[in-house]
């Protein structure tokens, strides 16, 4: 519970790695989204609260796609760092929303992303939370 639905930013950053993205909720009803300070937008589920100044998402809920046409819910980025951790590869991606960390499963049959590669970033917002403090 503490890891998946932290009550505040301290708990979110204390228990494991978390992407804490500052911004604001924009729109209303089924058409609201989270707009990061850099202008990147992440769609929110219809039942999300209409308040929150930080989107918190764990690295395993961030997906990277190479050579993807930009669509709603995707944010463009560039691989800044790559760290091999055995079963996962941790990528740090520079985006308009700031640095976003993504943990991807390591599959030896797939080519790893390299520093400088352009990617599209998506966030599983049903696994994210909005926090004000």
């Amino acid at each position: 519970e503490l890891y998946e639905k932290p009550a505040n930013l301290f708990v979110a950053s204390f228990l494991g790695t978390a992407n804490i993205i500052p911004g604001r909720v924009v729109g209303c009803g089924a058409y609201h989204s989270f707009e990061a300070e850099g202008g990147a937008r992440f769609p929110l589920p219809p039942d999300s609260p209409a308040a929150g100044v930080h989107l918190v998402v764990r690295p395993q809920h961030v997906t990277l796609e190479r050579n993807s046409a930009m669509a709603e819910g995707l944010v463009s980025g560039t691989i800044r760092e790559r760290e091999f951790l055995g079963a996962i590869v941790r990528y740090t991606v520079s985006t308009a929303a700031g640095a976003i960390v993504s943990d991807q499963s390591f599959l030896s049959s797939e080519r790893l992303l390299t520093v400088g590669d352009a990617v599209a970033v998506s966030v599983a917002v049903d696994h994210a939370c909005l926090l004000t403090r």
Side-chain angles (χ1 to χ4, degrees):
E1 178 82 17
L2 291 173
Y3 180 77
E4 292 182 350
K5 298 292 180 194
N8 57 53
L9 295 175
F10 173 76
V11 173
S13 61
F14 182 75
L15 292 173
T17 302
N19 292 293
I20 300 174
I21 305 168
R24 64 192 179 111
V25 175
V26 295
C28 61
Y31 302 103
H32 66 287
S33 60
F34 184 84
E35 183 179 71
E37 288 180 353
R41 284 194 178 201
F42 300 95
L44 294 174
D47 60 347
S48 296
V53 294
H54 294 89
L55 180 69
V56 178
V57 63
R58 300 292 180 181
Q60 67 268 23
H61 298 299
V62 176
T63 304
L64 305 179
E65 300 176 29
R66 62 176 107 222
N67 303 323
S68 179
M70 293 309 295
E72 186 176 345
L74 296 177
V75 173
S76 62
T78 304
I79 302 294
R80 185 172 79 192
E81 295 176 21
R82 179 181 73 189
E83 183 179 8
F84 181 72
L85 301 172
I88 64 167
V89 179
R90 176 164 286 173
Y91 294 100
T92 302
V93 182
S94 294
T95 73
I100 295 179
V101 176
S102 175
D103 288 346
Q104 303 291 303
S105 295
F106 172 68
L107 301 171
S108 59
S109 62
E110 292 185 12
R111 182 180 78 82
L112 295 175
L113 295 166
T114 59
V115 172
D117 282 353
V119 293
V121 179
S122 64
V123 170
V125 293
D126 51 331
H127 291 283
C129 60
L130 292 170
L131 298 175
T132 56
R133 52 182 169 78

